Amino acid sequence: MKKLFRFIVKLFFWSVVLSIGLVVVFKFVPVPVTPLMVIRYFENPSEKKLWKHNWIPIEEMSKNIQLAVICSEDQKFVSHNGFDIEAIEKAYEHNKKGKRIKGGSTISQQTAKNVFLWPKRSWFRKGLETYFTFLIEKIWTKERILEVYLNSIEMGDNVYGIEAASQFWFNKPAIKLTSYEAAAIASILPNPRKYKANPASSFIQQRKQWIVKQMQFYGTLNLKTK
């Protein structure tokens, strides 16, 4: 029993050390690949197409796309500590009614999940997501979290990150995205394999209009908060 206990303690200790080390590394180094990219690659053995993914610094991303994803996904991103308690409570009440599952995840939580974990829902994964969200909020800046988020999330079928998405949907670099083009890409994030940013369906068109209005209400984006 003592050997087993020592093994568990050592395993826990090194897991914590390695996870913190990985978060520190990714504070400075681009994330080359995410678990979701690999999972998608092996989902259809007959169609093994390498994913479209081009990492760019946040300075090469249009301010429009930065603002669009914040307005559509997490309007308290700049001010919260990684978790939006009010959004989580609303999602919980919504899900209790037995309707379509609704998440209350912040951009920080989504970044933690996309970079370090797998997509399938479970309490164990949610616990790890909480842990990694805490780490990136403490070790990274808000600007870095958004940079990693916009470089890593799925933005189309086999398309990851805003540079690849911008080229795929609008044939232009991410720095040149207009507010409506940025809003169109942000509109498909709930289900990027189902929806199209261009040409936009009536549903996406409505979401796009709503996001642009939110962008106008939000005002200037300032990520230099920590």
Side-chain angles (χ1 to χ4, degrees):
M1 286 298 290
K2 287 184 179 179
K3 287 184 178 180
L4 178 61
F5 178 73
R6 287 198 203 101
F7 173 77
I8 293 173
V9 170
K10 285 182 180 179
L11 182 64
F12 176 78
F13 173 77
W14 285 111
S15 295
V16 171
V17 170
L18 289 173
S19 61
I20 294 175
L22 200 57
V23 171
V24 171
V25 168
F26 285 147
K27 179 178 182 178
F28 308 101
V29 177
V31 179
V33 64
T34 67
L36 182 61
M37 294 179 194
V38 177
I39 290 168
R40 292 279 192 253
Y41 181 76
F42 287 103
E43 276 182 344
N44 298 306
S46 61
E47 300 179 13
K48 285 187 177 178
K49 298 179 293 184
L50 194 63
W51 50 82
K52 299 177 181 69
H53 179 229
N54 302 308
W55 181 281
I56 58 172
I58 198 167
E59 293 78 15
E60 294 179 20
M61 301 176 191
S62 166
K63 285 288 185 180
N64 289 320
I65 189 59
Q66 298 175 44
L67 189 55
V69 295
I70 286 175
C71 288
S72 64
E73 297 291 300
D74 181 8
Q75 294 193 14
K76 296 179 182 177
F77 171 67
V78 173
S79 59
H80 66 55
N81 63 355
F83 306 94
D84 185 345
I85 304 303
E86 184 179 352
I88 293 171
E89 289 175 347
K90 286 182 179 178
Y92 175 72
E93 292 300 323
H94 175 91
N95 297 338
K96 275 203 309 184
K97 296 175 182 177
K99 299 179 180 178
R100 181 175 62 86
I101 297 296
K102 180 180 180 182
S105 295
T106 62
I107 284 176
S108 300
Q109 288 174 276
Q110 291 180 53
T111 304
K113 180 193 71 175
N114 287 330
V115 174
F116 301 105
L117 304 169
W118 58 95
K120 191 173 181 180
R121 293 173 181 269
S122 70
W123 286 111
F124 177 65
R125 196 219 68 189
K126 201 67 180 177
L128 289 176
E129 179 186 304
T130 301
Y131 169 70
F132 276 106
T133 299
F134 173 79
L135 286 184
I136 66 174
E137 279 282 340
K138 291 297 181 183
I139 297 173
W140 298 356
T141 62
K142 287 289 186 179
E143 186 177 54
R144 180 58 176 176
I145 292 172
L146 187 63
E147 181 179 54
V148 174
Y149 174 80
L150 282 169
N151 271 299
S152 304
I153 58 172
E154 193 172 29
M155 292 182 163
D157 190 11
N158 211 38
V159 178
Y160 299 88
I162 190 56
E163 181 64 17
S166 183
Q167 295 287 355
F168 181 78
W169 292 116
F170 297 106
N171 296 310
K172 61 168 62 176
I175 192 67
K176 294 185 177 180
L177 285 171
T178 67
S179 57
Y180 279 92
E181 289 167 344
I185 294 175
S187 296
I188 69 171
L189 294 185
N191 196 335
R193 301 177 82 192
K194 175 183 176 182
Y195 301 129
K196 293 182 178 180
N198 186 35
S201 65
S202 58
F203 172 72
I204 294 301
Q205 191 66 31
Q206 289 175 359
R207 272 187 59 81
K208 182 168 67 173
Q209 296 287 350
W210 180 84
I211 291 171
V212 169
K213 286 183 180 179
Q214 294 301 307
M215 292 166 69
Q216 293 169 349
F217 294 148
Y218 192 95
T220 305
L221 177 62
N222 179 21
L223 296 173
K224 307 293 185 180
T225 58
K226 53 183 266 194

